[in-house]
Amino acid sequence: MMKRNAHMVAFLIVTTVVPSAGWFLPLTATAQNQNEISQKFIVSSNKIAGGDVLLLQITGTHPNSPLSNMQLYFNKTAYQVYPHPLKSDGSYFALVGIPYYTKPGPKTLTLKFSGPTGDQSSQITFDVVGGKHRTDVLKVDSKRVDPNQKNRTRANREHQEVKHIYASGNTRRLWEGPFQLPVENEISSSFGNRRIFNGKLKNYHNGLDFRSPKGTPVYATNSGIVRVAKNLFYSGNAVIIDHGTEIFTIYAHLSKIKAVAGQRIEKGQLIGLTGATGRVSGPHLHWGVKVNGIAVNPLQFVEVMEGLVGWHEK
């Protein structure tokens, strides 16, 4: 069985009140009478590393005066807010991928919305902390480290194609319940590790590597639509699944692809077999997760999503 370094997910709850008189109280306020509408803003953690995903849950909206036009902002970037997957009473959630190179320190989320008294906004603060990562020293085919002009052109074209796919994902929620792991093999390289290929520092590891013998079945971690199912210069034979709500999963270096672009995939469905295609030092599965187009730590993402679908108001 695969060994996991589980990330404990603690949920920080702050409460705000939207009174009917037309003003907005701080997040620490509590409701005082029946004319006030109390919201809870629940964040997955008040301390988070670059490359992690932050979950915001919003509950307590009055059924007769629901919030609308919600938009979340972080670092001048807008993020969508979605209906909660388990609650149909006006609760919502949003996911914010924190870029790997985000400078440590205090950060602020700004939530803008329309309430019973007009347009409102509220701020939620958290801290980005530095992470500790190993260095992976790898020996691979030299043409995958110093590609010729033809291969550079191909790699750049594929990069732009995939980037466009991440930017044009399905806004509907296609996933159901918790995300699962694609294989049950041991993790050989963690998210965030520095990667040195043939003596050259190239980048950080934007996913997880599972030490998997060639031909190991690979399963979809949740339901969605296949957007890529083909050979890519660096990723080799790869499958990319759009799960909706700006979540994508990536499965790379496959020996065989068992899915086609445009196909509807269910959680646990076979999508390929592990291999050693693309820029690799041996057979394994690279599994990546993108949220809002940002590469995030897959293990931490799985834990956060378990918190979302397993969460209920007490």
Side-chain angles (χ1 to χ4, degrees), residues 173-282:
R173 180 173 61 86
L174 305 176
W175 53 270
E176 291 289 342
F179 279 69
Q180 64 184 34
L181 299 177
V183 294
E184 292 188 344
N185 301 111
E186 182 181 11
I187 293 174
S188 57
S189 179
S190 299
F191 177 89
N193 286 359
R194 293 173 292 276
R195 313 306 296 276
I196 296 178
F197 293 102
N198 298 1
K200 296 182 178 181
L201 178 63
K202 284 295 183 179
N203 53 20
Y204 75 95
H205 192 206
N206 61 1
L208 290 178
D209 284 350
F210 295 89
R211 185 178 289 111
S212 306
K214 181 179 178 180
T216 300
V218 178
Y219 301 101
T221 57
N222 214 311
S223 54
I225 297 173
V226 176
R227 297 294 299 275
V228 172
K230 65 178 183 179
N231 184 272
L232 302 174
F233 181 72
Y234 287 117
S235 299
N237 294 332
V239 172
I240 299 177
I241 300 176
D242 178 358
H243 300 284
T245 63
E246 300 178 273
I247 299 171
F248 289 82
T249 53
I250 304 97
Y251 313 78
H253 311 308
L254 304 173
S255 60
K256 292 186 181 297
I257 295 173
K258 299 289 187 178
V260 296
Q263 179 182 358
R264 170 76 189 201
I265 291 290
E266 301 302 325
K267 184 194 303 187
Q269 185 172 339
L270 179 69
I271 58 172
L273 304 177
T274 58
T277 56
R279 186 165 67 182
V280 297
S281 59

Side-chain angles (χ1 to χ4, degrees), residues 1-300:
M1 294 293 291
M2 187 202 64
K3 299 177 182 178
R4 289 179 57 183
N5 293 321
H7 294 253
M8 298 301 294
V9 178
F11 289 90
L12 176 68
I13 302 178
V14 288
T15 304
T16 188
V17 177
V18 182
S20 58
W23 47 275
F24 195 78
L25 293 179
L27 288 173
T28 53
T30 55
Q32 299 296 318
N33 59 61
Q34 293 181 346
N35 293 324
E36 294 177 342
I37 305 165
S38 176
Q39 275 80 39
K40 288 182 180 177
F41 299 93
I42 304 170
V43 292
S44 50
S45 178
N46 61 355
K47 292 185 183 296
I48 191 166
D52 283 353
V53 60
L54 186 70
L55 165 66
L56 172 67
Q57 299 182 77
I58 305 162
T59 185
T61 300
H62 195 286
N64 296 325
S65 303
L67 304 184
S68 60
N69 302 322
M70 283 189 287
Q71 192 73 68
L72 187 66
Y73 294 88
F74 174 64
N75 277 355
K76 299 180 180 180
T77 300
Y79 297 86
Q80 290 200 47
V81 179
Y82 299 97
H84 197 282
L86 298 182
K87 299 173 71 68
S88 57
D89 60 353
S91 295
Y92 301 88
F93 80 98
L95 296 169
V96 179
I98 306 299
Y100 179 80
Y101 291 110
T102 300
K103 184 178 180 180
K107 308 296 177 183
T108 301
L109 296 175
T110 300
L111 180 67
K112 296 184 178 181
F113 55 91
S114 298
T117 59
D119 293 340
Q120 308 283 351
S121 67
S122 185
Q123 293 187 329
I124 302 109
T125 59
F126 64 98
D127 289 322
V128 171
V129 298
K132 295 182 179 180
H133 304 289
R134 299 187 319 171
T135 297
D136 296 332
V137 179
L138 304 167
K139 180 69 174 178
V140 301
D141 186 344
S142 61
K143 73 178 182 181
R144 308 285 177 177
V145 179
D146 296 303
N148 58 28
Q149 183 59 49
K150 179 180 178 181
N151 285 332
R152 282 199 301 271
T153 299
R154 174 192 171 187
N156 289 336
R157 182 181 68 251
E158 292 171 349
H159 173 76
Q160 292 303 318
E161 175 188 348
V162 172
K163 183 178 178 180
H164 174 73
I165 287 172
Y166 293 143
S168 58
N170 201 312
T171 57
R172 294 188 301 110
R173 180 173 61 86
L174 305 176
W175 53 270
E176 291 289 342
F179 279 69
Q180 64 184 34
L181 299 177
V183 294
E184 292 188 344
N185 301 111
E186 182 181 11
I187 293 174
S188 57
S189 179
S190 299
F191 177 89
N193 286 359
R194 293 173 292 276
R195 313 306 296 276
I196 296 178
F197 293 102
N198 298 1
K200 296 182 178 181
L201 178 63
K202 284 295 183 179
N203 53 20
Y204 75 95
H205 192 206
N206 61 1
L208 290 178
D209 284 350
F210 295 89
R211 185 178 289 111
S212 306
K214 181 179 178 180
T216 300
V218 178
Y219 301 101
T221 57
N222 214 311
S223 54
I225 297 173
V226 176
R227 297 294 299 275
V228 172
K230 65 178 183 179
N231 184 272
L232 302 174
F233 181 72
Y234 287 117
S235 299
N237 294 332
V239 172
I240 299 177
I241 300 176
D242 178 358
H243 300 284
T245 63
E246 300 178 273
I247 299 171
F248 289 82
T249 53
I250 304 97
Y251 313 78
H253 311 308
L254 304 173
S255 60
K256 292 186 181 297
I257 295 173
K258 299 289 187 178
V260 296
Q263 179 182 358
R264 170 76 189 201
I265 291 290
E266 301 302 325
K267 184 194 303 187
Q269 185 172 339
L270 179 69
I271 58 172
L273 304 177
T274 58
T277 56
R279 186 165 67 182
V280 297
S281 59
H284 72 282
L285 172 69
H286 170 92
W287 178 48
V289 177
K290 292 269 189 173
V291 175
N292 327 119
I294 302 297
V296 299
N297 184 336
L299 284 184
Q300 191 264 353

